Amino acid sequence: MPQLDTADHYVNQRDGRYMDMALEQAREAQALGEVPIGAVLVSAEGMVLAAAGNRRETWQDPTAHAELMVLRLAAQRQESWRLLDTTLYVTLEPCVMCMGAIILARVPTLVFGAHDPRAGAVGSIYDFSTDERFNHRVEVRPGVRGAACSTLLSDFFASLRQRRQKRCRPSSPDQG
């Protein structure tokens, strides 16, 4: 059983278990060279309806975010675009596109790990979850396994920067 982040002492077991599944999806995406973001959609009864990691690079599709893939797959399996009585677990705060899809799919509850100060649409830049102009509100539980989610992303981008620096370094004249 993975250890709780120190900030996760208040996290219920269910949220922790499904966020761990989302983290596993993120690691699988990372193994493919993707930004490590994972998502899992769960029914009220605790059944996993869909799970996925990012595939933007693999598919060269700007919409292949983990959240959208999970929503599409679950809607197909449920034979309904209304994903009522579900909870979406995602390792990173959803962007505007994903949050729009979450609202349109009528997902009632969102649980996410790390905040996204550059593109987050659940409080970081925008807050679509509480915007009264929409016809649907989303209950949000942020920060579940936040440290683990944040570390996974930070380590990925640090490694990416390191690889880019190695490729861009000019060779020294002594090397021949």
Side-chain angles (χ1 to χ4, degrees):
M1 173 90 178
Q3 286 191 323
L4 291 176
D5 294 341
T6 53
D8 282 348
H9 65 277
Y10 63 91
V11 172
N12 68 49
Q13 279 188 311
R14 178 183 167 110
D15 284 355
R17 180 173 61 245
Y18 293 120
M19 187 58 75
D20 288 339
M21 293 173 102
L23 277 161
E24 185 54 37
Q25 292 295 317
R27 289 184 195 98
E28 289 177 19
Q30 182 177 15
L32 296 172
E34 297 285 345
V35 175
I37 300 170
V40 176
L41 188 71
V42 180
S43 72
E45 297 78 28
M47 185 174 76
V48 174
L49 301 174
N54 270 14
R55 293 294 185 274
R56 287 186 347 166
E57 297 299 326
T58 303
W59 296 347
Q60 291 300 298
D61 178 353
T63 68
H65 289 204
E67 301 95 307
L68 292 185
M69 293 173 49
V70 163
L71 295 176
R72 283 183 192 128
L73 186 56
Q76 289 170 353
R77 287 180 178 163
Q78 298 290 99
E79 296 182 352
S80 176
W81 60 267
R82 290 180 182 89
L83 299 173
L84 306 171
D85 299 321
T86 60
T87 300
L88 178 63
Y89 294 86
V90 62
T91 56
L92 183 65
E93 175 184 1
C95 69
V96 169
M97 174 179 66
C98 292
M99 199 56 203
I102 291 164
I103 290 167
L104 292 172
R106 309 297 193 267
V107 173
T109 308
L110 168 68
V111 179
F112 72 86
H115 287 272
D116 186 352
R118 293 188 176 172
V122 192
S124 289
I125 295 180
Y126 301 103
D127 193 351
F128 283 16
S129 66
T130 60
D131 192 321
E132 293 181 2
R133 294 172 291 185
F134 292 117
N135 63 342
H136 176 71
R137 308 284 175 280
V138 179
E139 175 194 336
V140 178
R141 293 195 297 271
V144 174
R145 301 283 195 265
C149 294
S150 183
T151 298
L152 183 62
L153 286 160
S154 297
D155 289 353
F156 171 80
F157 286 114
S159 174
L160 189 63
R161 283 189 297 276
Q162 214 170 31
R163 286 193 306 266
R164 285 182 180 160
Q165 286 174 348
K166 284 181 182 177
R167 280 187 290 182
C168 294
R169 282 191 191 134
S171 26
S172 110
D174 298 351
Q175 296 172 333

